[in-house]
Amino acid sequence: MSLLRDIQNTAVDSASDVATLLRKCKILAVRLGNSDFRNWVDRELNGYDDRDALPDYRKLRVESVGHFSGAFNSGLRNAPIPPVCLPAELRESIGYSYLMQPISAYTSLVDKQERSNAQENWPADLVALVGRDIYQHMNCMAAWKIIPYNALVALIDTIKTRVLNFSLEIEAQAPHAGEATLHELPLPQDKVSQVFNTYITGSVQNVATGGSHFSQHTSSNNGASDEVFRGLIEALAAVTNKQQEARRLTSAAEEMRQAFGSDSFGARYKNFMSLLSDHIQVFGPVVAPYLPALAAFVAQ
């Protein structure tokens, strides 16, 4: 199995470890000779040391709660802390959780048997600074940010999806890129960087898929999306040796088409990818040209 296909199979496997996936990407990054991709993989594996370099998917909007103590044994436990009670210059830093640790730190929280929210404690000096200004006649004894369990699951899913889209596009342009020898560059660096910025950082607006079926823009209108879904459904229908599975995937693709532009599109996309992961060997090559466009629709 090629390295690119191995990465793709790992990315769509719901039980796969994202750190293992990223280590495979490290090999791919070296063979591609691309420093942008390599640096991103290293930061995901080892953590970020600069908040300004943190990707948007690692910045979570959160709420804070705390324990409060008052006179005559009065008090509040797990009481919400309204941001309006805080100085204006502190509201942004308190209103967000910046996930700067290695990705393994968050997978360990997701892999726990109990699916509970995580928390990030406020610094003690911050509690002392604003603790008397939140609830009247009460002092804050401890406070923390609530990091939803589902947000950590989404973080891991986001990384897998971005790696999947990146590897599919690289394969479309250079199928043997994963097997490149030392000092052999299978693609020009500007092309690899364009793919990286499109599918990993999301900073490039014009998306050109490697397949010959269509081209599209991330701000796709309904006409472009219809072209994508029509081609996807026709490609699935052409698979004759797995007709029952093809019908299920076609039905899921049709649900995506119907949900395009609505809040439910992301859920329909995840359902389609979940079904696809069960039959990646058969249907992966068939749908590969369309997956980058679908991911771009989700990102809109």
Side-chain angles (χ1 to χ4, degrees), residues 220-222 225 229 256-262 265 297 300:
S220 303
N221 57 28
N222 287 335
S225 67
F229 291 119
M256 277 197 299
R257 171 156 54 181
Q258 297 297 326
F260 180 74
S262 70
F265 180 77
F297 292 158
Q300 289 183 34

Side-chain angles (χ1 to χ4, degrees), residues 207-209 211-217 224 227-228:
V207 178
T209 68
S212 59
H213 295 78
F214 57 88
S215 61
Q216 54 92 26
H217 189 279
E227 184 181 353
V228 172

Side-chain angles (χ1 to χ4, degrees), residues 5 9 27 36 56 128 144 197 220 258 286 288 295:
R5 288 298 173 91
N9 289 341
I27 299 173
D36 291 337
D56 287 343
W144 58 93
N197 289 326
S220 303
Q258 297 297 326
V286 174

